Amino acid sequence: MSRNAKIAAGGVAAGIIMLFWLPWWAALLIVLGVPAAAYLALDSGQRRRLRRVTSKEIGR
């Protein structure tokens, strides 16, 4: 199993656990809020470069 597949499987498992452990709105807030906060933590040059590359190139 590749590194990205392990990360994806872990994310799915964490999401399922959160749905049972937390109310659905709290789990949704975490699932949407963490990537948004990470994007907002980037400076303007990093955001520009991230928008420019395709999703296939991000992992390289």
Side-chain angles (χ1 to χ4, degrees), residues 5-60:
K6 289 178 186 177
I7 292 171
V12 169
I16 291 171
I17 290 170
M18 279 194 302
L19 283 175
F20 289 114
W21 188 49
L22 297 171
W24 68 269
W25 57 268
L28 182 66
L29 195 65
I30 291 169
V31 167
L32 296 178
V34 170
Y39 179 77
L40 292 174
L42 299 174
D43 65 17
S44 61
Q46 290 170 324
R47 287 182 196 165
R48 215 174 308 120
R49 187 171 63 190
L50 187 61
R51 283 193 302 262
R52 199 171 50 228
V53 298
T54 63
S55 62
K56 195 180 253 188
E57 295 173 336
I58 289 175
R60 291 185 188 175

